[in-house]
Amino acid sequence: MLEFRHMSHAYNDNPSVRDVSFSVSEGEVVTLLGPSGCGKTTLLRLAAGLERPRQGEIWLDGKLVSDAGMVVAPETRGVGFMFQDYALFPHLNVLENVLFGLREKGSAATRRGLDVLAETSIEHLADSYPHELSGGQQQRVALARALAPRPSVILLDEPYAGLDSRLRERIRDQMLHVLKAAGTAALMVTHDAEEAMFMSDNIIVMRDGQVQQTGRPVNLYCQPNSAFVAEFFGEVNRLEGQVSNGCIETVLGTFDAPDRMQNGDAASIVIRHEALNIEPNGTGDDANAFVMEARLLGRASLIHLSIPTGTSELHFHARVPGLNSLQTGSPVRVTVDKAQAFVFPSAD
């Protein structure tokens, strides 16, 4: 439904997007994930027709809608756009906001408006005004307005940014069900990796205007192609080492080096917090770390560890489920789940 071909764009000759290509299929949710300033929102604006690309093409449902020489106007593209701040009209009630973008008028438009409010579970708010609504309710009104014209593609710019964490979890679940039921192709922008993994069929990780890796959430989490991607999907510990005979020896054991690395290469080992296994009551040669602190975070505990390395010590974090009985200063044995540890050249 939506395809970018070798898309590049710049603001005042400062590159914002560089040679980006990807597509979004019917009924698919694709997320652009990356830090602020990486070009995510620029791609959304290009898809909406709010910007003309410097290079490349945008195709919508098999038709060329943007290239360096032309741009089809946003209002004729049949694309829904849900803005980060929702952009609701304060002088219109909920139903009037939803009806605003509909070409059909009269009773047919009203029926469509009420139907889409029912789909988003806010039909009882039809006569309310935006200032009378909670953040989550405003978010659903904005979604209903974007879906009302039955767009082939909907664009979502940080749709949960203004919601608190508990409300965000509930609303995004409802929103995903609505999008899937509508069968609309959706392109979403976020800098929250957990949000992207929850919502997406595919994720495009971006950095400095370029695509770093594309894939299903499970593939990006379990098979990152760089330290940048690995770190974006959760907090990590880092170990530095050097390749010798295809391995890197560290205080936490031996790690296999990738085939592209040679003897003497500097290596960086990225280890997820949940990859550290802690065995309490270690003694003598069996203990290789000490507990500095243990903090309960609700569903998990964060354990601060000190690992002696001779003349100095390393500070590591481990995340373990639920409550723990680890005492400050107690010796422990720490091992690593190698499936959640990744080796990259230090230059990466």
Side-chain angles (χ1 to χ4, degrees), residues 227 231 238-241 248 261 266-270 342-347:
E231 290 178 346
R238 271 184 179 258
L239 265 178
E240 302 300 324
I248 304 103
M261 297 186 68
S268 185
I269 304 164
V270 177
F342 312 99
V343 180
F344 304 104
S346 289

Side-chain angles (χ1 to χ4, degrees), residues 222-246:
C222 297
Q223 298 166 332
N225 65 4
S226 68
F228 173 81
V229 174
E231 290 178 346
F232 219 90
F233 283 89
E235 296 172 313
V236 298
N237 302 292
R238 271 184 179 258
L239 265 178
E240 302 300 324
Q242 193 173 61
V243 178
S244 177
N245 297 322

Side-chain angles (χ1 to χ4, degrees), residues 9 20 46 50 61 115 165 185 193 235-236 246 268 293 317 333 337:
H9 193 58
V20 172
L46 287 164
L50 302 174
D61 198 13
D115 286 345
S165 58
E235 296 172 313
V236 298
S268 185
E293 268 188 279
H317 289 162
R333 177 70 179 170
D337 175 5

Side-chain angles (χ1 to χ4, degrees), residues 31-79:
T31 297
L32 299 169
L33 174 67
S36 298
C38 71
K40 309 184 299 296
T41 299
T42 296
L43 286 170
L44 221 59
R45 292 177 59 83
L46 287 164
L50 302 174
E51 303 278 351
R52 177 183 294 178
R54 295 288 184 93
Q55 295 178 5
E57 299 175 342
I58 299 175
W59 291 73
L60 183 65
D61 198 13
K63 298 176 183 177
L64 179 66
V65 294
S66 288
D67 63 18
M70 59 82 73
V71 57
V72 173
E75 62 271 19
T76 62
R77 290 192 176 200
V79 171

Side-chain angles (χ1 to χ4, degrees), residues 92-306:
L92 301 180
N93 65 27
V94 166
L95 181 58
E96 290 167 340
N97 264 282
V98 171
L99 298 181
F100 185 83
L102 290 179
R103 293 179 180 174
E104 53 196 318
K105 302 300 177 183
S107 59
T110 301
R111 273 197 308 274
R112 175 57 184 163
L114 292 173
D115 286 345
V116 77
L117 287 176
E119 290 171 11
T120 51
S121 303
I122 51 172
E123 65 272 26
H124 61 289
L125 299 174
D127 296 325
S128 301
Y129 285 83
H131 71 274
E132 300 173 321
L133 308 179
S134 68
Q137 290 168 337
Q138 290 181 21
Q139 194 254 19
R140 281 182 282 173
V141 174
L143 176 61
R145 184 178 61 183
L147 289 173
R150 296 183 178 87
S152 56
V153 174
I154 185 167
L155 309 173
L156 310 165
D157 187 10
E158 299 274 9
Y160 314 106
L163 306 179
D164 64 71
S165 58
R166 294 299 299 274
L167 180 59
R168 187 184 304 133
E169 291 177 7
R170 187 168 72 252
I171 293 296
R172 73 187 182 192
D173 182 61
Q174 296 172 350
M175 188 167 174
L176 181 59
H177 286 296
V178 171
L179 289 174
K180 288 300 184 181
T184 305
L187 179 62
M188 185 177 83
V189 158
T190 185
H191 60 268
D192 186 321
E194 181 179 322
E195 188 170 286
M197 294 180 74
F198 181 89
M199 292 288 297
S200 310
D201 298 297
N202 279 292
I203 299 173
I204 300 164
V205 182
M206 296 192 63
R207 182 185 192 185
D208 297 332
Q210 296 178 302
V211 174
Q212 300 297 298
Q213 189 173 356
T214 301
R216 295 169 57 226
V218 64
N219 297 127
L220 295 182
Y221 187 84
C222 297
Q223 298 166 332
N225 65 4
S226 68
F228 173 81
V229 174
E231 290 178 346
F232 219 90
F233 283 89
E235 296 172 313
V236 298
N237 302 292
R238 271 184 179 258
L239 265 178
E240 302 300 324
Q242 193 173 61
V243 178
S244 177
N245 297 322
C247 299
I248 304 103
E249 295 287 344
T250 76
V251 294
L252 289 177
T254 302
F255 296 85
D256 294 331
D259 293 338
R260 59 180 171 144
M261 297 186 68
Q262 302 176 348
N263 281 348
D265 286 352
S268 185
I269 304 164
V270 177
I271 305 170
R272 299 200 187 281
H273 286 186
E274 55 268 31
L276 294 185
N277 303 311
I278 301 175
E279 301 172 22
N281 304 320
T283 58
D285 294 337
D286 193 42
N288 62 352
F290 295 89
V291 175
M292 298 174 66
E293 268 188 279
R295 299 285 184 178
L296 176 64
L297 303 179
R299 290 174 291 184
S301 291
L302 184 65
I303 314 300
H304 296 249
L305 298 166
S306 172

